[in-house]
């Protein structure tokens, strides 16, 4: 069997993805040039950087540092403002690839305003970010269950375009169950799990200093460090949510094996952030080849033979 015969295509809320791997909202997806680069890559969709009502330059630099097994960052939501992404959509859609707009309002009313606008746009999916850890004074919505429910009630009644939310990592079974029960009350079509692990501290012992400037050095931890947390979140939400709610697995995908692990845990597709930041868009070609190679070597022809089939001992 050739690698081309392995079916890695997937569907999120009835939107077809030609393969299992897309970029995550985060690096290299803020400007039109970056988004066109994604359109021309092997990423199965074009995901935008989370947008806000107004353009933002983000937090002071240095705000991103590469680590041995990932990165730590406190970008602070730098983006062009939602109107720029609305204006760009017709041009991005010319590439015949799904476009997913990430929305990260600083309040529920900001989210309502932006979701309303994108409901009337050519975007294929809307991902509302409930988990940005890096805006000083703005807690992660996904950790406040009352506000999460309030926000969902407000943003899910604004149109028929499929809506998903980007969740923070959860660590307590009670929290997983509470969040799943809230999600089940609303017509949410997908979750993206997980965002970076917020408010972590990396110290440079040589300089006896923090390594990023914002927020006294606290930032979101990304990359391989967080893969076991991402896998656990995907696996647990897969077991708690109805199968109609799709799951993007996010966190520490650098190789085909990482993507294969998310597949075993039940992810419908994966998103790639730090690896894409470090390696550029060629990583999508490599990841696709590696995932197909693993599937072929194990005798699988289709991702659906593996999805959610993790064995326990
Ligand atoms: O821009 C950021 O600082 C940022 C965002 Br919006 C997010 O959702 N997650 C993250 O780790 N950084």
């Amino acid at each position: 069997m050739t690698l081309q015969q392995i079916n890695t295509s997937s569907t999120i809320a009835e939107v077809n993805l030609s393969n299992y791997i897309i970029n995550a909202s985060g690096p290299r997806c803020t400007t039109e040039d970056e988004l066109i680069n994604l359109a021309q890559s092997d990423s199965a969709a074009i995901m935008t950087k989370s947008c806000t009502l107004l353009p933002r330059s983000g937090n002071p630099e240095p705000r991103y540092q590469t680590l041995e097994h990932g990165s730590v960052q406190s970008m602070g939501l730098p983006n062009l403002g939602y109107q720029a992404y609305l204006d760009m959509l017709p041009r991005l859609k010319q590439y015949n690839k799904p476009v997913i707009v990430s929305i990260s309002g600083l309040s529920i009313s900001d989210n309502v305003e932006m979701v309303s606008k994108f409901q009337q746009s050519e975007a294929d999916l809307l991902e509302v970010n409930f988990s940005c850890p890096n805006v000083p004074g703005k807690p992660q919505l996904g950790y406040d269950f009352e506000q999460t429910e309030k926000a969902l009630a407000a943003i899910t009644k604004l149109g028929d375009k499929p809506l998903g939310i980007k969740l923070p990592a959860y660590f307590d079974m009670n929290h997983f169950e509470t969040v799943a029960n809230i999600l089940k009350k609303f017509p949410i079509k997908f979750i993206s799990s997980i965002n970076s692990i917020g408010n972590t501290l990396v110290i440079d012992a040589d300089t006896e200093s923090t390594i990023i400037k914002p927020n006294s050095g606290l930032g979101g931890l990304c990359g391989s460090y967080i893969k076991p947390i991402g896998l656990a979140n995907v696996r647990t939400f897969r077991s708690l949510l109805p199968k109609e709610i799709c799951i993007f697995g996010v966190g520490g995908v650098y190789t085909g094996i990482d993507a294969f692990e998310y597949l075993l845990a039940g992810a419908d597709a994966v998103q790639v952030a730090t690896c894409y930041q470090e390696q550029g868009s060629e990583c999508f070609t490599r990841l696709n080849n590696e995932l197909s190679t693993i599937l072929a070597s194990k005798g699988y022809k289709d991702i659906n033979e593996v999805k959610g089939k993790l064995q326990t001992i």
Side-chain angles (χ1 to χ4, degrees), residues 25-26 49-52 56 58-59 63 73-79 102 104 129-135 140 166 195-198 219-222:
S25 182
K49 172 69 182 168
S50 293
C51 63
T52 48
R56 288 172 59 89
N59 290 338
R63 58 191 186 183
Q73 49 71 33
S74 182
M75 304 304 290
L77 258 171
N79 77 94
S102 172
S104 193
N129 188 353
F130 277 30
S131 48
C132 175
N134 294 333
V135 178
Q140 285 161 274
K166 175 98 167 254
N195 209 316
S196 66
I197 308 295
L221 188 66
C222 308

Side-chain angles (χ1 to χ4, degrees), residues 5 31 52 76 94 145 149 167 172 182 230 251 259 279 308 312-313:
Q5 289 170 304
T31 65
T52 48
Q94 287 175 2
F145 301 136
E149 185 155 354
L167 292 171
D172 186 284
I182 293 170
Q279 299 178 9
T312 51
I313 55 171

Side-chain angles (χ1 to χ4, degrees), residues 2 26 39 54 75 78 81 83 94 98 108 124 139 177 181 190 206 210 222 230 287 305 310:
T2 68
L54 297 174
M75 304 304 290
Q83 187 63 47
Q94 287 175 2
I108 293 180
D124 294 276
E177 283 163 12
N181 287 335
F190 67 93
D206 290 339
T210 57
C222 308
L287 281 162
E305 294 167 54
L310 179 67

Side-chain angles (χ1 to χ4, degrees), residues 125-147:
L125 297 169
L126 306 182
E127 182 184 274
V128 185
N129 188 353
F130 277 30
S131 48
C132 175
N134 294 333
V135 178
K138 295 282 173 192
Q140 285 161 274
L141 191 54
Y143 285 142
D144 181 333
F145 301 136
E146 217 171 286
Q147 287 300 310

